[in-house]
Amino acid sequence: MQYYFTIYVNKEKLIRGHTMNHYFIFILFIAFFGYSACNDQSFNKKNDESQIRLDSLQKVWNNNINEDSLDWVESGGENADEKDELTKHPFFGFYSNKKVNFIPIACTSDFAYSRSHSIDSILSYMSCIKDKPGRVSLLRRALIIAKYHQSRLEDSLRFLTDSQLLRMISYAYHQDIPSDALESNGPEFDSLYQTIYTLITKSESKAVVLKFINDSIFNYYYMRVEFSLPTKNILMLNYNAAGMAGSAEKRYFLKQGNNYKELNLHSIISIVDKKMTKIAKEDASADTDRFEGLFTWNEKKGMHQLELFVHVSSGASCCPPYIVQLYTKDFKTIEPGSLKYATTEHFSDSTIKPVWKNIR
């Protein structure tokens, strides 16, 4: 009969053994001689490989995953709590009951993972990519396609074409979040890449594989991608890969026929910044990333009304003191006489009515 054990040093899991005999040998050598020895070369080799992998995982997942997660990844499985957590997750839960279908693809084939819409095919091509940039690109593509398939089933997004939805999701999954795996020049990335390949060849749950890629490679623990239709012909994409206000990004799209063209508000923002800097008597800037631009459609005027929050250099980044209001027909120019500003107290206190002042 075999027994499994885990040795803890400074509350970190460092090594896994396979038999009770090895356990006693290992403990005796640690206690009396301060080092370990074993005549079984295959056991040592396995320990060394496991140690490298677990050390790299420890660096990447430090303080982000509970104590049992290293064991979960190394074994390629899920314990009850983690499986339940994955199942409830809106993204990973979609793949919790789907297995990776590993289909080896000849490396000499003309398969292009960068254009593939198949998660299985992309992951099956992993062994063909040898350089780190190519491997990062392949894993990123796997996440984007996985998110695309999950999002495609949402009724609220059926109006978007495949290419439109993929393009918007790609914006979110190209955010650069600090990651040990991507920034290190050591063996960490290769070790993690090999772990992913081992998981897919074992036909593991796609939820397990995608979660591992998402967390250990790209550090996208808090990735959030949301779509909304604030008013007529306007689509807002709101995404945040780091879960902090500073990493929040918003993009706006105008429907033109069956297409959604991304709006470039730089011309309007530039005018607003200059006008509000004079009014505030300090540097002022409109913020459309962290704070949502408020769009409404004015049927009578036949144009969009837009409200933008404005920061000042002396204020807190959390709380813009001003908001501007304007009308625009083309999102490049401001309708003459429509530019106004007010303070933002009415957003935190409904009893206060905004006092709009014209800006010339």
Side-chain angles (χ1 to χ4, degrees):
M1 178 180 297
Q2 289 188 331
Y3 297 86
Y4 294 88
F5 64 89
T6 301
I7 299 172
Y8 287 88
V9 178
N10 293 328
K11 296 185 179 180
E12 298 293 338
K13 293 184 179 180
L14 297 179
I15 193 167
R16 177 179 297 277
H18 289 275
T19 67
M20 187 60 74
N21 289 335
H22 287 141
Y23 171 80
F24 287 120
I25 293 173
F26 191 81
I27 291 299
L28 288 173
F29 275 53
I30 288 293
F32 295 102
F33 301 102
Y35 66 92
S36 64
C38 183
N39 292 326
D40 188 341
Q41 293 181 354
S42 63
F43 178 83
N44 277 335
K45 181 178 180 181
K46 184 171 184 179
N47 269 350
D48 291 340
E49 292 173 350
S50 178
Q51 183 66 58
I52 291 174
R53 183 166 58 177
L54 292 180
D55 284 347
S56 64
L57 287 173
Q58 180 180 337
K59 292 178 181 179
V60 176
W61 288 23
N62 186 32
N63 296 327
N64 289 299
I65 299 183
N66 61 40
E67 189 177 60
D68 294 326
S69 293
L70 295 178
D71 181 43
W72 168 74
V73 173
E74 185 194 16
S75 64
E78 307 151 283
N79 65 35
D81 291 339
E82 287 149 355
K83 184 175 182 179
D84 185 59
E85 181 181 348
L86 283 177
T87 301
K88 292 180 179 179
H89 193 281
F91 174 37
F92 301 118
F94 179 71
Y95 294 99
S96 60
N97 293 322
K98 296 177 173 63
K99 299 290 186 179
V100 176
N101 183 20
F102 179 71
I103 308 173
I105 300 174
C107 297
T108 56
S109 70
D110 58 357
F111 175 74
Y113 69 83
S114 61
R115 296 194 297 271
S116 176
H117 286 196
S118 168
I119 303 173
D120 293 322
S121 296
I122 294 171
L123 294 175
S124 295
Y125 200 67
M126 284 183 64
S127 63
C128 296
I129 308 300
K130 304 302 181 183
D131 62 293
K132 183 175 179 179
R135 289 179 167 184
V136 171
S137 177
L138 181 145
L139 295 177
R140 193 187 302 275
R141 179 67 179 181
L143 280 182
I144 291 171
I145 292 302
K147 183 62 180 177
Y148 158 78
H149 285 301
Q150 183 251 338
S151 300
R152 179 43 80 200
L153 295 181
E154 297 182 18
D155 291 337
S156 61
L157 298 178
R158 292 197 179 276
F159 60 89
L160 290 174
T161 65
D162 291 347
S163 60
Q164 290 167 358
L165 182 57
L166 271 174
R167 176 165 58 97
M168 294 176 186
I169 291 174
S170 293
Y171 287 140
Y173 283 90
H174 274 85
Q175 279 188 299
D176 293 325
I177 305 300
S179 165
D180 288 349
L182 297 182
E183 296 172 358
S184 172
N185 293 321
E188 287 86 354
F189 178 83
D190 290 339
S191 178
L192 294 171
Y193 193 83
Q194 182 58 46
T195 299
I196 297 168
Y197 187 71
T198 299
L199 291 174
I200 68 169
T201 55
K202 292 171 59 178
S203 298
E204 272 298 338
S205 162
K206 286 181 180 177
V208 173
V209 175
L210 293 171
K211 175 71 171 174
F212 191 86
I213 296 172
N214 186 86
D215 293 3
S216 65
I217 300 296
F218 296 104
N219 213 13
Y220 287 158
Y221 291 100
Y222 307 103
M223 173 62 78
R224 178 173 54 105
V225 182
E226 298 175 345
F227 296 84
S228 62
L229 298 168
T231 190
K232 182 179 179 179
N233 295 332
I234 298 293
L235 170 69
M236 184 179 73
L237 169 64
N238 181 9
Y239 55 94
N240 191 334
M244 297 182 293
S247 59
E249 293 190 31
K250 294 175 177 62
R251 292 176 183 259
Y252 306 91
F253 302 84
L254 176 66
K255 185 177 183 181
Q256 296 180 331
N258 293 324
N259 295 318
Y260 277 84
K261 180 181 179 181
E262 184 171 3
L263 292 177
N264 185 335
L265 300 175
H266 291 166
S267 296
I268 288 178
I269 289 174
S270 177
I271 296 172
V272 169
D273 290 354
K274 290 178 182 178
K275 298 284 188 180
M276 290 304 298
T277 294
K278 290 183 179 180
I279 291 172
K281 295 182 173 57
E282 59 179 311
D283 288 339
S285 58
D287 186 348
T288 57
D289 285 335
R290 294 179 58 190
F291 294 89
E292 177 182 344
L294 306 177
F295 294 84
T296 54
W297 172 253
N298 189 301
E299 192 70 40
K300 185 177 180 180
K301 294 180 179 293
M303 63 183 75
H304 284 94
Q305 183 186 70
L306 176 60
E307 295 184 6
L308 303 174
F309 289 94
V310 178
H311 290 290
V312 293
S313 57
S314 64
S317 60
C318 67
C319 314
Y322 298 107
I323 185 169
V324 297
Q325 184 184 94
L326 59 92
Y327 283 96
T328 182
K329 293 179 179 178
D330 55 10
F331 294 98
K332 296 178 181 178
T333 59
I334 299 173
E335 188 71 8
S338 70
L339 187 58
K340 303 176 182 180
Y341 81 95
T343 57
T344 56
E345 290 95 338
H346 59 285
F347 286 97
S348 57
D349 187 346
S350 60
T351 64
I352 299 176
K353 293 184 178 181
V355 178
W356 294 99
K357 298 179 181 180
N358 291 321
I359 303 175
R360 291 184 172 83

